[in-house]
Amino acid sequence: MSNQQPEQTLSYRLSLLTYTKKEELWFTSFANNFQQVRQGYDIMQLQDYPREPAFVIGAGPSMEKFGLMDKLSKASGRIFCADRMLKPLLEKGMEPDVCVTADGDPMVADFYPDSDYRTKVVLGNQAHPDVLKKLRTPPYWFIPMCDNPKMPNISVTRAIHWMIRKTMLPPYGNAGGYAFAIANHLGCSPIILMGIDCSYGEEKNPMRTLYWKGFEEEHKKVGKGIKDVIKECYRFARSGGRYMVLTDIVFDGYRASLNKGIELTKAEVWNVSPYSIVGINRVEHDGKWVDASLPNVEHITIEEALKRLRK
C-alpha cells in the first residue's frame, strides 16, 4: 500500500487528472447554462442557520452497515446532503434543507426525484443541463475552484467568477465536502458528519472498489500491473470508529481536502460514522506516516450525538 503523504501529493494529482478528463464536458455544460447561472441565486443568498445543529449526509458504507439513516429520523437539526442521498432521505420521510451537487456528469440527474420537494438545491457552475431539468426549486450556484484564484497569474476560476459573479469554494472534490462547506458558511454548529466516510469500510479487495478500473487503465498505459495499482493507489487506515478500513488515492484526496476545511472552522464538528477517516490526518512519526485525529473533531457514536442534542 502507498505510504505517500496525501496532503502534499494527492490533491494536485487528482485535480489535474479529473480536470483534463472532464474539462470538455464541464465547459460545454457551463456554456449551455450560462444565462441561468449568471442570473441565478448565489449560495450567499441561502438562509443562515446560526448555531443550529446540522447533519451533513453522504453515501458512505457506514450509512447502511450501522443503520444510520433510521437513527437520523430521531434527530433534530438541519440536514445538508450529497445529491446521491436526496432520494433515500425523501423516501424515509426526511426532507433535507439543502442538497448539493458538485459533479458535472449527466447521470447525477438520476439522483433527483420526479416528485415535488422543497429542498434547496446547490449546484456547481458545471452542472449538467439534465440536472437542471429535474429541479423543483431554483438552484443556488457556486464555483468549484480548479486553480488558485489568488495567484497573480492567469486563473480559470477567477475568469469564471468575473463572468458569472458567483462565490468560489475550495476544491473539496465531492458533494459531501461541499455540503460541509455550505453548512459551515451558514453558521451551523455542531456540524455532524454522517456517511462522509472517504473509505470502503471493511472491504478487503481493491478490485471490487469504485475506481479500480480507472486506476488499472492508467497503470497499463505506463506498463504497470495489478501489484503496482494496489501499492500506489490503496492503503488501509484506522477510522475514527477504530476500524481498519480500505481507502484509495481518490477518497484519500477528498479526506485531505475536507480536513483542511475542518481545521479552519469555528464550528464544533462531530463525526458519527464508524468507517470514516475524515477528521484524521497522516502525520510523520519516527520516519513513518501515522494516522492522528484533528483536535477539533470528535469521533462519537450517533447515539451520543442524539443524547447531546436532546440536552
Side-chain angles (χ1 to χ4, degrees), residues 165-224:
R165 303 288 174 158
K166 295 297 180 281
T167 298
M168 300 174 284
L169 289 179
Y172 286 102
N174 64 354
Y178 285 111
F180 165 82
I182 292 166
N184 182 49
H185 163 70
L186 297 181
C188 295
S189 184
I191 298 175
I192 303 125
L193 305 179
M194 179 182 288
I196 312 293
D197 291 351
C198 294
S199 84
Y200 296 101
E202 294 176 274
E203 172 65 64
K204 297 294 190 292
N205 186 351
M207 298 177 73
R208 291 198 291 258
T209 60
L210 181 62
Y211 299 107
W212 173 266
K213 185 177 180 181
F215 293 153
E216 188 178 29
E217 290 176 353
E218 290 298 315
H219 278 68
K220 281 183 178 178
K221 292 178 182 178
V222 292
K224 293 185 176 182

Side-chain angles (χ1 to χ4, degrees), residues 53-57 72 75-80 192 194 302 306 309:
F55 288 84
V56 175
I57 313 296
L72 177 65
S76 60
R78 300 293 176 180
I79 297 177
F80 294 72
I192 303 125
M194 179 182 288
I302 180 62
L306 296 178
L309 293 176

